[in-house]
Amino acid sequence: RTTSRSALSSSSAASYVYKRQFMGIGFRAAANANAGRKLLSKGCGLSVYGPTINLIRDPRWGRNQESVSEDPFMNGMYGAAIVDGVQGDDPVYLQAAYTCKHFAAYSVETDRLHGSTAVVSSQDLAESYLPMFKACIRSGSEQLMCSYNAIQSPNISNAGATGACFRGDLINGLLRDSWGFNGSMVSDCDAVKDQAYRYNSNQEAAAAGLNAGCDQDCGGFYGEYALQAHEQGLVSSQVMTRAVQRILLMRFRLGEFDHPGPVKYLNIPKGSSNSSASAASALRAARESIVLLNNSADVLPLPGIPTPNPKQLKIALLGPFADATTQLMGAKNDYSPSRIVSPLQGLQQVGGDSLVVTMSKGCQDVACKSTTNFKAAQAAAAAADFTVVAVGIDSTVEREGHDRSEVGLPPNQLKLVQDAMKATAVKQLVVVLFNGGALGVDWIQQNCPTVVEAFLGGQAAGTALAQVLLGLVSPSGVLPYTVYPSSFVTKNSMTDFRMRPDKSIQSTGHTYTVQVLRLIGWREGPLAVWVRPVLHQVQVQLVHSTPGQNEHQSAHTRCTYTCDVDGPDHQHRPGSSRQGCHGLRRSAHQARRSSQGIVFPAQGFPRTRGVPIGGALEPGWKLVRVLRILQGGSGRTGKTDRTR
């Protein structure tokens, strides 16, 4: 189990790879269900309540670590891949039934039961809050889950706030009639009960949920009041029958009523998912999740691996995550692997005899209320060749049911970083961040030249981190969300679901698509390589517009340009304009010569130290998008390639 933060490619090959990885989750679910069938004489766990694909709209949301990104398209790709993989490849039976959640516009935990209402325009619904669910449906998701919150759409209906599980216009109208969803809709647990206060009676509430298309109540509300609602004429037999049919059809496809013989998924023994292949998949996901945020001082990769130094390299490992294990599994600790590798264990195992790792945590836990052990941590840092400070937040800070009020590190964790910097040279310090939601670490951004984002990497997190720090693996992950400064919380209300900025309330907007807050450092998508490639190219698409009297008369010329940032050759595809691409080429090489590199976001303009390079194009040309990054060659050299 990992919180994977790697960028998913839109290519069919990449989708296939991720589908194969996600099949392991369904494999484990089926194995556990089979064990339950033998133990309890009934199946269990085949209807999986996941994945969470809601937009990471605000860094304070307690469930950011469960979700994917702030990009609706990427969330949809992730949801589709995991549904495709978990549900299996059998033409008749499902390995497990996956439930894309939470529909819709859900990203607040505080007072989520009675007090959360998402006021969302039809434009924001269409652009930001719904595309991922459409992708899940197109991938064949057997089930969707509707959320706790109410949704109010002033420009869709004059009606007031209505619980998401009661929005028949969205469930029956959009999902079923327009998008062709024919699976089951289940409420979040007790979501129907929690919205019943909006109705005159519990029977009326149960009828409203069923009539809106919410087939199942995760809880006992339907069981107690649905039949009474039918007897009172509030819900028809046809509606109730249709709901039962959808539920039973899913169970038939899971093979729950069949003999285990022909159903291959019913013969998977418990424990079979704890295999070398599963471990390799977990390690790969953890590796691909790690993001290099800053390496301006050329500290990484640490020397000595794989060619040992004449003397052992001394590393001081500080911070509350130095020997973390279960914390790396995230707040949803419903699965415990046979082994979880901590950062300390990872460095010791990967480094072997080439390293001497001294752990002095300083902070005993994430809260870090006491600074009693800081002097010992400083002493360890002073005696080491390099110091790694592992800081961050865990489920005591962000989790389901609990949002953050601030986005920064706990104060004493930041003090630990500052004290470690005083005890050692800046070029000997590496800060590693462990977190689900984004951390506003303004001081670290401005003062620490070497920063790695490790997220919560699951059972192989320690191994993956050690391999990256020691240069055995390139940090290939990209940020799935914008890292806002700490001031974000003072400028934006967490309950404001409008995506666009609003000067009247001093809102700067949400996510990279619309937000106008001036950033001080990182945004979506830094890429870095330790391996100096034979070829390292960036392919971009440009468009040139010749204005006409109106949009339809304007002439548009499009070209694809391949920028080779490692050599002098600059190739153009036939028909492209050298003049139009000249500015981009010049910007790329200026960044190359200054050793600052180019940062390519997952979406939008490439950035050099946060400055768009698209502005360097010749007049009339505009950068449309980054198509891909091409990298070839292999072999580690002594010189680090800082190209991003």
Side-chain angles (χ1 to χ4, degrees), residues 335-595:
Y335 169 66
S336 297
S338 58
R339 184 164 183 246
I340 305 171
V341 181
S342 70
L344 173 64
Q345 293 168 335
L347 285 169
Q348 290 173 334
Q349 293 168 8
V350 175
D353 295 336
S354 299
L355 300 182
V356 176
V357 184
T358 302
M359 184 183 71
S360 182
K361 295 172 63 174
C363 297
Q364 296 307 306
D365 54 28
V366 165
C368 197
K369 296 294 186 182
S370 172
T371 61
T372 303
N373 298 317
F374 277 26
K375 289 186 178 180
Q378 280 186 297
D385 298 314
F386 292 93
T387 299
V388 177
V389 188
V391 293
I393 55 177
D394 61 11
S395 59
T396 63
V397 178
E398 57 172 1
R399 62 183 181 276
E400 180 176 1
H402 182 77
D403 296 318
R404 287 186 283 167
S405 58
E406 302 289 340
V407 295
L409 280 172
N412 280 339
Q413 283 199 48
L414 178 58
K415 186 178 186 303
L416 178 65
V417 175
Q418 295 168 337
D419 287 356
M421 184 174 287
K422 294 175 184 177
T424 185
V426 172
K427 291 189 176 182
Q428 296 175 323
L429 182 73
V430 180
V431 177
V432 181
L433 303 176
F434 291 88
N435 51 282
L439 284 172
V441 284
D442 308 6
W443 189 91
I444 291 176
Q445 285 179 311
Q446 296 167 355
N447 295 279
C448 298
T450 312
V451 188
V452 174
E453 173 61 82
F455 297 107
L456 301 174
Q459 65 188 59
T463 303
L465 176 64
Q467 291 176 343
V468 167
L469 295 182
L470 297 173
L472 302 181
V473 173
S474 292
S476 60
V478 299
L479 287 176
Y481 44 51
T482 299
V483 178
Y484 297 103
S486 300
S487 61
F488 176 86
V489 300
T490 65
K491 298 179 180 295
N492 296 273
S493 168
M494 190 173 178
T495 57
D496 181 9
F497 279 75
R498 292 174 296 177
M499 299 301 294
R500 286 158 179 76
D502 187 341
K503 291 183 179 180
S504 66
I505 59 172
Q506 298 183 338
S507 170
T508 59
H510 294 85
T511 79
Y512 76 92
T513 57
V514 296
Q515 114 25 73
V516 297
L517 185 66
R518 183 177 179 180
L519 302 178
I520 61 173
W522 307 312
R523 197 163 178 146
E524 276 202 309
L527 271 171
V529 290
W530 293 150
V531 179
R532 187 170 183 82
V534 175
L535 174 67
H536 187 174
Q537 296 179 327
V538 175
Q539 191 176 90
V540 297
Q541 191 176 83
L542 306 171
V543 64
H544 183 270
S545 299
T546 304
Q549 293 182 352
N550 57 56
E551 181 181 356
H552 300 288
Q553 294 177 350
S554 298
H556 301 284
T557 303
R558 215 173 263 267
C559 79
T560 299
Y561 174 67
T562 302
C563 174
D564 183 354
V565 298
D566 267 350
D569 297 328
H570 314 291
Q571 301 175 352
H572 301 264
R573 289 189 175 183
S576 66
S577 169
R578 290 180 179 272
Q579 179 182 4
C581 296
H582 175 73
L584 177 64
R585 180 184 66 214
R586 183 177 63 240
S587 295
H589 279 269
Q590 286 174 351
R592 170 71 176 171
R593 286 195 298 270
S594 65
S595 298

Side-chain angles (χ1 to χ4, degrees), residues 52-58 61-64 66-67 75 101-113 116-120 125 128-130 132-133 145-151 164 188-189 191 195 332 399-403 494 497:
T52 297
I53 56 172
N54 297 104
L55 201 69
I56 296 182
R57 177 187 60 90
D58 191 294
W61 183 34
R63 302 183 75 171
N64 281 328
E66 294 180 44
S67 197
N75 289 18
K101 63 180 187 180
H102 308 81
F103 183 85
Y106 170 67
S107 56
V108 171
E109 299 302 298
T110 305
D111 297 327
R112 68 180 183 177
L113 301 183
S116 177
T117 297
V119 181
V120 189
L125 273 175
S128 299
Y129 294 113
L130 297 181
M132 57 285 281
F133 293 98
M145 176 182 284
C146 51
S147 53
Y148 287 111
N149 59 285
I151 302 174
D188 207 336
C189 295
Q195 291 291 330
K332 289 284 188 179
R399 62 183 181 276
E400 180 176 1
H402 182 77
D403 296 318
M494 190 173 178
F497 279 75

